[in-house]
Amino acid sequence: MLDVVNLRHTYGQGPSAHHALGGIDLKVAEGELVSVVGPSGCGKSTLLRSIAGLIEPTDGHIRIRDGHVTGTPGDLAVVFQDYSRSLFPWMTVGENVALPLRRRGMGRAARRAAAAEALAEVGLPGAEAKYPWELSGGMQQRVAIARALAYRPTLLLMDEPFGSVDAQTREDLEDLVLKVRELHRMTILLITHDIDESVYVGDRVVVLTKSPARVAGELSVDLPFPRDQIATRELPAFVHLRAEVGRLVRAKEPLPPFHASQQA
């Protein structure tokens, strides 16, 4: 689905240049949810913006399915952290969700129906006539997710989408992402700074080094579904995985292998 090869990006030139990405190789399979985590300022968002075609990398190649990314792909959607800046306050919730569907060539009635369906999927049925400023932060982020879902993208990119909400809302939104991913079998790349979150939602966790970022390691997340905010996080396998991710982020020595017998 997604193939990133030797991706490099440098901001500026000369002695003051900042080397954000130092040669990243990353593959994401169809239907996979991959979490990307790393130290603060390591280039996670630069990686996502490069994949989204929002910035042109200095070097390397990005391919989504069979096409090389040379601009913003037409079948891709992005959910950003700052929901207050990603929604138009003068437009209703329904209009915000339906706006990208014009690019699909859908008629007005079809756009409205798709927006209503997506809002229902994220737990906001009947919210079409409200305005973003009438909703809580968590509800606004649900609207941003609904807008991405309504577009039915091939690949959904999420750039620390829960970093601006409280802990309880964050957990609710994590579960929402798992729910809609299962419903649509959507391929998702999730950028996060939260180690626990990276393990809880991911099929695989990719850990980046400090900038210039490279892949420090990849961990498969073999945790049962459906996942539960309390029961899953209490599993010895979860505790082991989050500790191993934490060690990679902090460049510590890896833990010994975890065996299934330790699950009990």
Side-chain angles (χ1 to χ4, degrees):
M1 154 63 75
L2 172 66
D3 191 11
V4 177
V5 180
N6 194 35
L7 195 69
R8 299 173 183 269
H9 189 71
T10 299
Y11 294 100
Q13 297 179 342
S16 62
H18 172 62
H19 302 287
L21 305 179
I24 291 180
D25 295 308
L26 173 66
K27 294 180 184 292
V28 179
E30 192 91 32
E32 191 177 23
L33 197 164
V34 173
S35 303
V36 177
V37 67
S40 179
C42 73
K44 299 185 295 295
S45 293
T46 298
L47 170 63
L48 180 139
R49 284 167 167 75
S50 297
I51 295 171
L54 300 176
I55 60 175
E56 183 178 354
T58 306
D59 197 12
H61 303 282
I62 303 168
R63 191 174 72 247
I64 296 178
R65 287 187 171 160
D66 295 326
H68 286 279
V69 175
T70 56
T72 303
D75 54 355
L76 176 146
V78 183
V79 176
F80 294 101
Q81 176 180 347
D82 195 345
Y83 49 80
S84 63
R85 296 177 63 185
S86 64
L87 301 175
F88 298 110
W90 61 87
M91 298 175 66
T92 66
V93 165
E95 290 168 342
N96 268 283
V97 174
L99 181 62
L101 300 179
R102 296 179 180 179
R103 191 173 182 180
R104 294 287 197 202
M106 299 172 63
R108 180 176 296 181
R111 294 199 303 268
R112 287 178 176 173
E117 181 181 354
L119 286 166
E121 289 176 357
V122 301
L124 293 175
E128 294 91 325
K130 294 183 178 296
Y131 286 88
W133 44 266
E134 296 181 283
L135 305 178
S136 68
M139 294 171 76
Q140 289 184 51
Q141 191 61 300
R142 285 175 182 262
V143 174
I145 294 171
R147 182 171 58 191
L149 293 178
Y151 195 66
R152 296 293 186 261
T154 295
L155 175 65
L156 175 60
L157 304 177
M158 308 188 83
D159 189 8
E160 299 195 22
F162 316 134
S164 299
V165 297
D166 62 84
Q168 179 62 61
T169 302
R170 186 184 194 112
E171 291 181 354
D172 291 341
L173 291 173
E174 289 169 355
D175 289 334
L176 172 64
V177 167
L178 290 176
K179 173 187 169 185
V180 298
R181 180 276 186 107
E182 180 65 24
L183 181 63
H184 298 293
R185 301 308 303 169
M186 191 175 291
T187 307
I188 300 175
L189 184 70
L190 173 74
I191 303 294
T192 179
H193 65 269
D194 189 289
I195 292 172
D196 285 43
E197 180 173 275
S198 71
V199 174
Y200 182 77
V201 303
D203 298 316
R204 183 160 49 96
V205 180
V206 175
V207 183
L208 302 184
T209 66
K210 294 180 180 179
S211 61
R214 297 176 178 86
V215 175
E218 299 185 24
L219 300 171
S220 295
V221 180
D222 188 18
L223 295 173
F225 285 97
R227 292 179 184 169
D228 178 83
Q229 290 289 346
I230 296 175
T232 298
R233 292 172 189 265
E234 289 179 335
L235 293 173
F238 179 90
V239 176
H240 180 90
L241 279 167
R242 75 163 311 282
E244 196 168 354
V245 173
R247 280 171 169 79
L248 283 170
V249 169
R250 293 169 178 82
K252 303 293 185 181
E253 289 296 317
L255 288 171
F258 181 82
H259 299 289
S261 59
Q262 297 173 250
Q263 183 75 35

